[in-house]
Structures are given as C-alpha cells and as structure tokens.
Amino acid sequence: MTNSSILTTTLQAVMAKAIDAAGGWQGFDAFMALALYQPDLGYYANDSQKFGRMPAVARMGDGAQGGGSDFVTAPELSPHFGRTLARQVAQALQASGTDEVWEFGAGSGALAQQLLDALGGQVARYTIVDLSSVLRERQRTRLAAHAGKVHWASELPDRMRGVVLGNEVLDAMPVKLLARLNGAWYERGVAMHEGRFTYADSPTELRPPLEVAGMHDYVTEIHLQAEGFIRTLADRLESGAVFLLDYGFPEQEYYHPQRSMGTVMCHRAHLADADPLADVGEKDITAHVNFTGIALAGQDAGLEVLGYTSQGRFLLNCGLLEGLDSGIDAASLARRVMVQKLVNEHEMGELFKVIAFGAKGRPVWKPLGFSAGDRLHTL
Ligand SMILES: C[S@@+](CC[C@H](N)C(=O)[O-])C[C@H]1O[C@@H](n2cnc3c(N)ncnc32)[C@H](O)[C@@H]1O
C-alpha cells in the first residue's frame, strides 16, 4: 500500500466510526470537517505539500504520484499579490490607528512573508490563526526572519485590534448541503453502504437564503460556519478592519436556478473533481462563498461593510501594475505572466472577490482597493 492509501484507509475508519456514533448519518459539514481537519490525517492536518505551482511528477515505472502540490493560491502564484495587498493593509492600519495584523488560515506562510517584508515597522505584531498544526510549523520555518513579530493563536481573545486578513479561508470552512428532490428539501449527509461512504438525505427545515425558482431537483450549500466566523469577528474586533479574499458570488448568482449541482469541489494535483466522498484526506474539499451571506452576517452583527469588488479590480486599485514595466528580460516576463493571472478575468481576476468590513461603531472610511468599481450594490 502506498503512504497515501494508508492515510485514506486510516482516515476512512475514523470517519466511519464517527458516522456510526452519530446513528449512521452525519451532516456533510461534519464529514467535511473530519476530511479536512482530523488531527494528523485530514487534508490540512497531514503533511502533504498542498500549495504550489506544480503538480506531482509521476515516479518512473510505477506511475505513483509522490509529493507535488494540489492547487495554487494567489500568494503562491506571485509575491506581487502580497506586496500589493500591503498597500491596502498600510492604509487600513493608519485609518484605524493600529499596528497589528491577524491572518486566518495562513497556509504556507507566503502571504505573511510578503506582507511583513513590505510593511516593515508599520506592523508591530502579526498573529496567525490556523487550524492545522502541520501548517503552523511550516509557517514558523518560513517566517523565521520575522520571528520577533509573529505569533500563533489557537483561539481568539475576547477583544482584538488590528487588520484581519483571510485569503481562501472561507471556502475551506465546512458547509451544509441541501438537496431539493421532487419539490421537497432534504439535508444531504453521509452514511456508510457496503464499507463505502454514500450520500443520504434527511428531511429538513433548513432552506437556502433565497427561494430557488422552479421545481427541478437542485443541490446547493449553506454556510453556517463561515457566517458564524464573521459574527465572532464582529463581536471581538474593537478597532480595525477585515479583508477577506475568496472565490464566490452574490446570492442571486449563487442560488441561480441553473446552478443545480452546487459548488462543492475537490482539488488534487491541480485537477478538480466533484466527489468529496472518495480518497478522503488526499484532496482539498471546498465550496464557493456566498458573499451576500457574509456581508449580511457582518452587518447584522454590527460591522460596517466597507466595500466589495472583484480581486482584479481590487488589486489594480491598489497599484498592482505600478513599477512592473522596468526591464524586459525573461525573468520579468515570467513574473508578469503570473501577475496577469491574478487579474485576468478568465483566471483569478473575476471569480475571486474581496469584501472588507470596518469594526463596530468606528468611523467609516474608503479603502484604496474599492476606489473604483465597488460592487457593494450587487450583494
Ligand atoms: C485554501 S488554504 C489557503 C491558505 C493561504 N491563505 C493561501 O492563500 O495560500 C485554507 C487555509 O485555511 C485554514 N483554515 C480553515 N478554516 C480555518 C479557521 N476556521 N480558522 C483558521 N484557519 C482555518 C486551513 O488550515 C488552511 O491553512
């Protein structure tokens, strides 16, 4: 057996036991939480590489995959992502009179490194909150040069100040699956059948936030954990701002009648598939973000929504392209191709969005990233 199949078999056994303990059925959110975060075994808790630009190379002869990454995020793609975001963070630190940054889900530590290098003395303390202890160790190694400033927190303090950041964190938070079948709504969960995971539906009072037109069969997600996370931030952040970057859409688009298969996706070796029940622990499981739900959760809890736009527009507003024109050697060309991927509409520029909040009861200000093309009215 390869290391990865031992991992999957062991994790499967843990998850099967959890389903059994829950009476033979577990909501998809509980299943996703174990598949991603079960200590040592879940996708984010095991020691596979995960982030990077290149998939694994098949080993000669046996065709088995070893090492290699599964997907690329913006800070992994180009250091210009963090350098550009740093301009927004600098403005936010100044506007809110703070010198602290909080990053949720820091992955390999790439964004933290880019921000700390760019912001220098403007940041006195950089705190990372990440569920994965394996990733916390990688971050510690990568950020050794900034060791005096970087701290890790396993839970949020009652009161916090600073600029809060999360790149592709909301999409990694477990979602509930809902299925409309023959006009009736069910919560879609996971059961065991002949030793394998299988979907099983249970009648529910839960509904998507918007009525989905039509009577056709329809599968979608609701994001109770991500919205709870925003409410917690609203409660604890006494001064500062929050910037969240991720893929997703406003709810009119999210719950469009034609999006009848939902948005849950898996990523492994830079390929996407739609079967989270297979090969648990070996691939990432994600769902797109409903940005209307995130905005409403924040607003209802007292946060001020400061802006919402596409990642492309946000980064251009923050000056992504400034200074990129100098020199036309091969290295700078390759670098510019990566930068373009961050903003091109058919790559990360349009599907990825940025939403920002200001702390409860604090003066409203206009972040640089929304200076042109703010789409708050679309939420
Ligand atoms: C898709 S990765 C993104 C990593 C990194 N931000 C990047 O852009 O490369 C998701 C990250 O979020 C972390 N994560 C998920 N849920 C979290 C939560 N509730 N609190 C903190 N970190 C979380 C995961 O452990 C992982 O590091």
Side-chain angles (χ1 to χ4, degrees):
M1 270 215 264
T2 62
N3 284 346
S4 59
S5 59
I6 293 171
L7 180 135
T8 296
T9 310
T10 316
L11 179 56
Q12 252 169 5
V14 171
M15 295 172 74
K17 219 167 151 184
I19 291 174
D20 194 42
W25 182 95
Q26 200 177 38
F28 183 77
D29 50 346
F31 177 90
M32 182 170 166
L34 291 177
L36 295 183
Y37 304 111
Q38 171 67 24
D40 301 328
L41 300 169
Y43 178 76
Y44 281 108
N46 68 45
D47 64 2
S48 68
Q49 186 182 329
K50 303 175 232 306
F51 315 97
R53 286 196 215 153
M54 300 300 288
V57 180
R59 284 200 301 272
M60 298 290 285
D62 62 4
Q65 304 276 307
S69 63
D70 295 314
F71 55 88
V72 68
T73 59
E76 303 288 339
L77 200 57
S78 167
H80 288 272
F81 176 74
R83 283 178 210 160
T84 306
L85 186 58
R87 296 196 186 131
Q88 177 60 89
V89 174
Q91 185 205 18
L93 289 169
Q94 204 168 37
S96 55
T98 57
D99 57 6
E100 281 196 50
V101 174
W102 289 78
E103 185 183 354
F104 282 82
S108 71
L111 178 61
Q113 187 177 36
Q114 293 156 15
L115 288 170
L116 284 160
D117 287 349
L119 288 165
Q122 294 172 86
V123 176
R125 191 180 171 91
Y126 194 106
T127 308
I128 293 177
V129 185
D130 203 308
L131 297 182
S132 160
S133 51
V134 166
L135 292 177
R136 282 200 297 271
E137 282 320 303
R138 284 189 211 170
Q139 294 154 11
R140 207 180 294 283
T141 307
R142 184 165 193 158
L143 300 171
H146 298 285
K149 284 185 188 173
V150 185
H151 303 265
W152 283 263
S154 48
E155 54 188 46
L156 289 188
D158 289 345
R159 309 245 56 83
M160 52 193 280
R161 298 164 56 79
V163 176
V164 178
L165 302 170
N167 187 59
E168 290 203 39
V169 181
L170 295 174
D171 73 71
M173 294 191 182
V175 290
K176 277 198 181 290
L177 282 187
L178 298 182
R180 181 175 69 189
L181 305 171
N182 299 319
W185 283 99
Y186 299 86
E187 180 176 349
R188 176 153 290 184
V190 183
M192 297 299 293
H193 180 69
E194 295 178 353
R196 301 172 80 94
F197 297 127
T198 181
Y199 283 129
D201 298 327
S202 168
T204 184
E205 297 294 310
L206 293 170
R207 295 288 182 273
L210 278 191
E211 195 165 328
V212 180
M215 288 296 283
H216 54 293
D217 288 355
Y218 192 89
V219 176
T220 191
E221 307 88 32
I222 53 173
H223 308 75
L224 306 184
Q225 288 203 24
E227 289 161 15
F229 165 72
I230 302 295
R231 281 192 289 275
T232 305
L233 278 183
D235 212 36
R236 314 261 170 114
L237 189 69
E238 57 181 17
S239 172
V242 181
F243 290 84
L244 300 167
L245 302 91
D246 222 312
Y247 39 90
F249 350 87
E251 67 182 10
Q252 293 284 355
E253 240 178 283
Y254 203 104
Y255 298 104
H256 192 282
Q258 283 176 8
R259 197 182 302 286
S260 61
M261 311 284 281
T263 72
V264 169
M265 268 291 149
C266 304
H267 299 275
R268 174 167 52 172
H270 296 256
L271 295 174
D273 77 80
D275 186 5
L277 305 193
D279 303 331
V280 285
E282 286 185 47
K283 52 192 189 180
D284 190 18
I285 306 175
T286 78
H288 285 43
V289 175
N290 164 16
F291 277 98
T292 307
I294 294 299
L296 287 175
Q299 204 171 42
D300 291 350
L303 293 176
E304 195 71 49
V305 187
L306 298 178
Y308 166 74
T309 193
S310 66
Q311 173 175 295
R313 172 53 68 188
F314 180 87
L315 292 175
L316 292 172
N317 286 340
C318 291
L320 176 73
L321 302 182
E322 283 164 27
L324 269 189
D325 287 339
S326 52
I328 4 175
D329 55 20
S332 68
L333 203 62
R335 198 183 48 174
R336 273 194 283 178
V337 168
M338 295 304 158
V339 168
Q340 282 300 337
K341 283 180 192 278
L342 297 172
V343 293
N344 281 346
E345 288 192 1
H346 62 284
E347 293 183 272
M348 298 178 100
E350 179 55 35
L351 177 61
F352 283 69
K353 311 290 191 315
V354 187
I355 192 166
F357 297 101
K360 208 189 280 192
R362 296 282 166 171
V364 175
W365 55 283
K366 188 77 181 171
L368 182 65
F370 306 107
S371 49
D374 192 345
R375 297 188 193 167
L376 203 46
H377 63 282
T378 65
L379 288 178

